[in-house]
Amino acid sequence: MFEKLQKKIKRTAKRITRRELSPDDVEDIIWDLKVGLLESDVAVPVADELISKVEKALTGEKIGLREDAEETLYNILRESVKEILTTKKEKSIIEIIENKEGSETAKILFLGVNGCGKTTTIAKIANFLKEKGYSVVLAASDTFRAAGIEQLEKHGEDLGLRVIKHQKNADAAAVAYDAIEHAKANDIDVVLIDTAGRMQTDVNLIGEMKKISRVSDPDLTVFVGDALTGNDAVEQASKFEEAVDIDGSILTKMDADAKGGAALSIVQKTGEPILFLGTGQGYDDLKKFNPEIIVENLLPE
Ligand SMILES: Nc1nc2c(ncn2[C@@H]2O[C@H](COP(=O)(O)OP(=O)(O)OP(=O)(O)O)[C@@H](O)[C@H]2O)c(=O)[nH]1
Ligand SMILES: [Mg+2]
């Protein structure tokens, strides 16, 4: 996908260096760039914003005949992508845990659409925290499916962690509450709350999510997004943010031939940083996020 974009940029750049830009040239270049971004899972409104930056630079007098148009074009795009991904607030899970008063338990709530990778990501984070020496308990607040509870229990067994659960169809908020009470009573550092997948359009389930959030009062609310999501990432992130106030996100499945364009949509809609990238199905397949990773993926130097 990216090679196509690079070829297009090279081609248009050659056109630019040969002669002055006509409005038609500009239109062609803009179109090519936009198609390239959309093919890398950048959502339409985000691609439009990026493109308008390039457009401004192109139609102005910034690119002269003697300049290296290819490089200029490319760098404008790279900088614009990095700018979107660089939020003002740096956040770290460890800092949030460390900043809790005394032995108070830190509560982290994981939310996202069906199958985005919440349960797997919780297991990875649990493993990460355990390796750092923190005590962790898991809350099986996905009470929607028996298999969801079992999946978390299996991770609990593998990682040697306690899973607090009720039966299927139980009140998800009550499970979270019990897990938090258990953690407080046992001086456990962190509670990771797993929730059912829900579409952003499902009013009832979004209502349930608000209740879980209200009852558990998390220190960190994490939106989990699938890197293979294209346009829908914009709607997902904005609807979840609207309902509960997202503090940060994790982008999963970056190993699955994903360029990570969805990161742009998520950061733009939540205004909060991406904390980690999921890079596989194993417990160690978790990578600290850095905007450069996505810039390099979308537009390699
Ligand atoms: N390749 C790859 N697969 C992943 C990653 N994260 C999760 N998965 C896979 O994606 C599928 C769904 O993951 P889950 O963790 O069950 O997703 P979920 O959000 O909990 O799903 P629901 O609870 O049904 O909403 C599983 O097959 C995971 O192994 C990742 O970073 N890379
Ligand atoms: Mg799950």
Side-chain angles (χ1 to χ4, degrees):
M1 275 185 262
F2 156 71
E3 275 150 32
K4 222 149 110 194
L5 174 60
Q6 204 172 37
K7 257 186 223 144
K8 279 173 182 164
I9 289 178
K10 277 208 175 106
R11 209 171 60 221
T12 45
K14 264 195 204 114
R15 265 205 314 261
I16 305 167
T17 39
R18 271 204 306 272
R19 56 184 168 80
E20 302 256 9
L21 284 178
S22 74
D24 276 354
D25 288 333
V26 174
E27 209 174 286
D28 278 0
I29 294 166
I30 296 304
W31 177 250
D32 285 349
L33 286 179
K34 184 163 170 176
V35 169
L37 289 170
L38 297 180
E39 283 174 347
S40 297
D41 289 327
V42 177
V44 174
V46 183
D48 282 343
E49 193 195 307
L50 285 168
I51 289 302
S52 81
K53 287 186 182 171
V54 177
E55 203 166 14
K56 263 190 211 126
L58 275 178
T59 47
E61 289 176 283
K62 279 190 187 150
I63 300 182
L65 285 175
R66 273 152 292 149
E67 281 178 76
D68 186 338
E70 183 184 344
E71 209 176 300
T72 310
L73 251 180
Y74 213 65
N75 287 338
I76 293 167
L77 250 192
R78 278 175 63 95
E79 276 310 307
S80 308
V81 167
K82 194 170 159 191
E83 213 174 278
I84 291 182
L85 290 174
T86 309
T87 52
K88 280 170 219 92
K89 337 156 205 187
E90 270 265 324
K91 265 180 203 162
S92 105
I93 286 186
I94 300 295
E95 226 166 78
I96 286 161
I97 298 169
E98 288 297 325
N99 284 344
K100 294 296 286 187
E101 301 259 326
S103 62
E104 221 188 305
T105 302
K107 300 164 283 182
I108 309 181
L109 177 62
F110 293 80
L111 308 168
V113 302
N114 308 73
C116 62
K118 295 173 293 299
T119 308
T120 308
T121 301
I122 285 172
K124 292 178 187 177
I125 296 284
N127 180 53
F128 166 77
L129 293 175
K130 205 183 136 198
E131 281 177 354
K132 296 250 179 237
Y134 294 105
S135 51
V136 180
V137 67
L138 308 177
S141 289
D142 173 2
T143 54
F144 221 62
R145 298 173 305 118
I149 302 172
E150 285 159 21
Q151 190 189 351
L152 195 69
E153 277 189 301
K154 174 77 173 63
H155 286 307
E157 262 169 46
D158 292 349
L159 294 166
L161 298 174
R162 179 82 186 262
V163 177
I164 304 299
K165 58 160 189 173
H166 292 186
Q167 68 281 42
K168 178 176 176 280
N169 291 331
D171 181 357
V175 180
Y177 184 85
D178 277 1
I180 293 163
E181 288 302 302
H182 170 88
K184 282 182 182 164
N186 293 281
D187 260 343
I188 289 169
D189 299 318
V190 195
V191 181
L192 303 179
I193 306 166
D194 190 16
T195 60
R198 66 201 76 226
M199 292 328 220
Q200 70 275 15
T201 47
D202 189 324
V203 178
N204 290 337
L205 284 180
I206 293 295
E208 189 219 35
M209 176 175 86
K210 284 184 174 177
K211 184 180 169 193
I212 302 172
S213 171
R214 203 169 51 237
V215 170
S216 60
D217 187 23
D219 299 291
L220 185 73
T221 301
V222 177
F223 174 77
V224 181
D226 180 332
L228 299 166
T229 314
N231 267 322
D232 200 47
V234 170
E235 276 301 299
Q236 287 177 17
S238 60
K239 286 289 188 308
F240 276 79
E241 163 70 15
E242 214 177 278
V244 293
D245 237 339
I246 302 296
D247 298 312
S249 303
I250 295 181
L251 192 65
T252 62
K253 309 186 192 178
M254 277 300 289
D255 54 308
D257 198 26
K259 297 288 173 209
L264 291 164
S265 311
I266 294 171
V267 172
Q268 210 190 34
K269 285 298 160 190
T270 61
E272 300 290 345
I274 308 260
L275 307 169
F276 290 98
L277 297 174
T279 56
Q281 310 200 32
Y283 292 140
D284 289 329
D285 295 327
L286 190 71
K287 202 167 173 179
K288 191 174 181 298
F289 179 76
N290 173 354
E292 294 288 350
I293 299 174
I294 303 290
V295 175
E296 265 312 302
N297 264 341
L298 290 173
L299 305 159
E301 203 154 25

